Amino acid sequence: MTITRVLGRSGIEVSAIGLGCWAIGGPLWGDDGQPFGWGEVDDDESVRAIHAALDHGANFFDTASNYGAGHSERVLGRALAGRRDQVVIATKFGHTSDEATRRATGTDHSPGYAVASLRASLRRLGTDHVDLFQLHLNDLPTAAALDLVDTLEAEVTKGTIRAYGWSTDDPASAATFAAAAPHCATIQHDQSVLRDNAEMLTVCAAYDLASINRGPLAMGLLTAATRALGADDVRGRAPEWLPWFTDGRPDPQWAERVARVRAALTADGRTLAQGALGWLLARSPRTVPIPGFRTVAQVEENLRTLALGPLPDAAYAEVERLLAELRQPAAPVVG
């Protein structure tokens, strides 16, 4: 039986683990050659992976208008054609990009752009509505985020979105926004066994929000993957906000922490990734991790966690003991 969670006060039910669709967007570049994607992808394999997710009980897919400059949305729309009523789709707005050149072009938090971005996302996804529409600008001043509330509420009334949220790692901003936004249902934030954000989970509980966990596998650090990171992979030239990798290799400090908790996470026969996802399910009844994927095999491994369930109490307690002195406050991991 698939474990489910509710997207906060929206009442929308989703599989307790969703799929993050950043990696299937393919390349995206900054003006200085900084990669913001995960490298070249096989779209046919991406579609097969999404179909495998449906077969394994997942129904929640999280993408964004700028992932691959819209390519992720197009691939997701292709994969879900004819099955829209079986799934919950989340997308995001705020980062601008050029589809023709696969270039990141900046940001725009204006209400007019929010509406234009939504319309473009609907076209790429091949749907008349998205279930969750999220502000994608992590550090946007709260006042600017509040300026979007009337526009987002109007889209709820029109039926083009069912609920909305903010992708931010700042608990105070999240609380202020949730208090003023009637149909705010979620906060998407960095959350993993390596870096907890207890304050944000407290906010989510106080305002009846779901905690959508980006970076639940530390962008691959919490897996057994050994694939070489190419020059077109964001982890190969990690920007300042991405701490897990240095020069395309696992950062030694974080790799040591993974090694420290590996035995506890895998004690009941889980893989490392399944243990890390199980920790998140045990952390709070509001968490919805959205691990990324590129292949059918990755999806199948991650979603077996739905059958395994939360990490057992003893293993969870051991992880907390091992990391008690090492945890750091959460910092932004863009995605």
Side-chain angles (χ1 to χ4, degrees), residues 82-145:
R83 306 179 77 167
R84 178 65 181 92
D85 61 344
Q86 301 173 31
V87 299
V88 175
I89 298 175
T91 195
K92 310 182 198 72
F93 70 97
H95 289 284
T96 61
S97 56
D98 185 290
E99 284 196 69
T101 62
R102 292 284 187 97
R103 292 280 173 179
T105 57
T107 63
D108 191 333
H109 61 264
S110 68
Y113 178 73
V115 174
S117 182
L118 174 61
R119 299 296 181 269
S121 290
L122 293 176
R123 287 194 298 271
R124 288 188 290 262
L125 289 162
T127 184
D128 62 356
H129 74 283
V130 293
D131 301 285
L132 182 65
F133 194 47
Q134 301 161 100
L135 174 60
H136 202 182
L137 301 177
N138 197 324
D139 297 324
L140 188 69
T142 308

Side-chain angles (χ1 to χ4, degrees), residues 22 34 38 138 169 189-196 214-222 229 234-258 326-335:
W22 182 10
Q34 169 67 54
W38 294 57
N138 197 324
D169 290 299
H189 61 99
D190 181 29
Q191 180 80 20
S192 73
V193 66
L194 295 179
R195 197 161 55 179
D196 190 24
R214 64 176 132 78
L217 298 178
M219 297 180 70
L221 189 65
L222 284 161
L229 302 177
V234 64
R235 298 167 298 175
R237 183 183 165 189
E240 185 177 351
W241 48 259
L242 198 166
W244 315 119
F245 295 87
T246 302
D247 297 326
R249 297 180 180 277
D251 180 84
Q253 172 187 232
W254 292 106
E256 188 277 331
R257 297 180 187 191
V258 173
L326 297 175
R327 291 201 185 279
Q328 296 182 359
V333 173
V334 177

Side-chain angles (χ1 to χ4, degrees), residues 90 105 140 158 176 313:
T105 57
L140 188 69
K158 292 175 185 175
T176 301
D313 291 346

Side-chain angles (χ1 to χ4, degrees), residues 1-239:
M1 183 176 178
T2 298
I3 306 169
T4 62
R5 299 255 158 120
V6 176
L7 295 183
R9 55 203 189 196
S10 74
I12 299 171
E13 189 174 19
V14 298
S15 52
I17 297 175
L19 273 74
C21 299
W22 182 10
I24 65 168
L28 180 69
W29 300 95
D31 287 339
D32 60 351
Q34 169 67 54
F36 289 121
W38 294 57
E40 292 294 338
V41 289
D42 179 342
D43 291 344
D44 290 338
E45 178 69 2
S46 298
V47 169
R48 288 190 291 269
I50 292 166
H51 290 168
L54 295 169
D55 293 341
H56 284 76
N59 74 338
F60 182 48
F61 300 87
D62 178 273
T63 185
S65 61
N66 65 313
Y67 291 169
H71 190 69
S72 173
E73 290 181 327
R74 292 189 184 280
V75 172
L76 185 60
R78 171 187 159 192
L80 298 178
R83 306 179 77 167
R84 178 65 181 92
D85 61 344
Q86 301 173 31
V87 299
V88 175
I89 298 175
T91 195
K92 310 182 198 72
F93 70 97
H95 289 284
T96 61
S97 56
D98 185 290
E99 284 196 69
T101 62
R102 292 284 187 97
R103 292 280 173 179
T105 57
T107 63
D108 191 333
H109 61 264
S110 68
Y113 178 73
V115 174
S117 182
L118 174 61
R119 299 296 181 269
S121 290
L122 293 176
R123 287 194 298 271
R124 288 188 290 262
L125 289 162
T127 184
D128 62 356
H129 74 283
V130 293
D131 301 285
L132 182 65
F133 194 47
Q134 301 161 100
L135 174 60
H136 202 182
L137 301 177
N138 197 324
D139 297 324
L140 188 69
T142 308
L146 293 174
D147 286 342
L148 291 161
V149 171
D150 287 347
T151 297
L152 295 171
E153 286 293 321
E155 294 301 324
V156 172
T157 300
K158 292 175 185 175
T160 51
I161 63 177
R162 296 174 67 191
Y164 54 87
W166 189 358
S167 180
T168 179
D169 290 299
D170 182 63
S173 295
T176 301
F177 187 72
H183 286 89
C184 174
T186 66
I187 296 296
Q188 183 169 146
H189 61 99
D190 181 29
Q191 180 80 20
S192 73
V193 66
L194 295 179
R195 197 161 55 179
D196 190 24
N197 192 335
E199 287 185 71
M200 190 67 83
L201 294 176
T202 298
V203 169
C204 288
Y207 291 94
D208 191 15
L209 308 173
S211 158
I212 299 178
N213 307 146
R214 64 176 132 78
L217 298 178
M219 297 180 70
L221 189 65
L222 284 161
T223 73
T226 57
R227 185 179 69 86
L229 302 177
D232 57 355
D233 189 315
V234 64
R235 298 167 298 175
R237 183 183 165 189

